[in-house]
Amino acid sequence: GYKAQMRVMIDERGYVIKKVMLRSSGNEVFDGKVHEAIDSSSPFPPPPDRLRGFLSTNGAVFNFPE
């Protein structure tokens, strides 16, 4: 029952430019897999124009598991 939460900043092309672990699972292996999952998902589809600035500065929050 591990859970983690990560904030991911995405540029206008959909590439991850920054990751911040908001809530660690407390398990180093699980948290490493969270980082790997985000890294392997990049690039995401380019965000719509109205969200580009927001996603590059504030990011999107991902919960693991979802």
Side-chain angles (χ1 to χ4, degrees), residues 29-47:
V29 173
F30 185 85
D31 289 353
K33 294 295 183 184
V34 168
H35 281 276
E36 288 178 22
I38 295 296
D39 290 342
S40 67
S41 298
S42 184
F44 291 90

Side-chain angles (χ1 to χ4, degrees), residues 14-65:
Y15 285 90
V16 172
I17 54 175
K18 185 176 181 180
K19 300 177 294 193
V20 178
M21 183 69 78
L22 298 177
R23 183 177 45 194
S24 170
S25 68
N27 180 285
E28 191 175 313
V29 173
F30 185 85
D31 289 353
K33 294 295 183 184
V34 168
H35 281 276
E36 288 178 22
I38 295 296
D39 290 342
S40 67
S41 298
S42 184
F44 291 90
D49 289 340
R50 70 183 191 283
L51 294 177
R52 286 184 181 173
F54 181 84
L55 288 175
S56 67
T57 56
N58 297 312
V61 176
F62 292 89
N63 295 300
F64 293 85

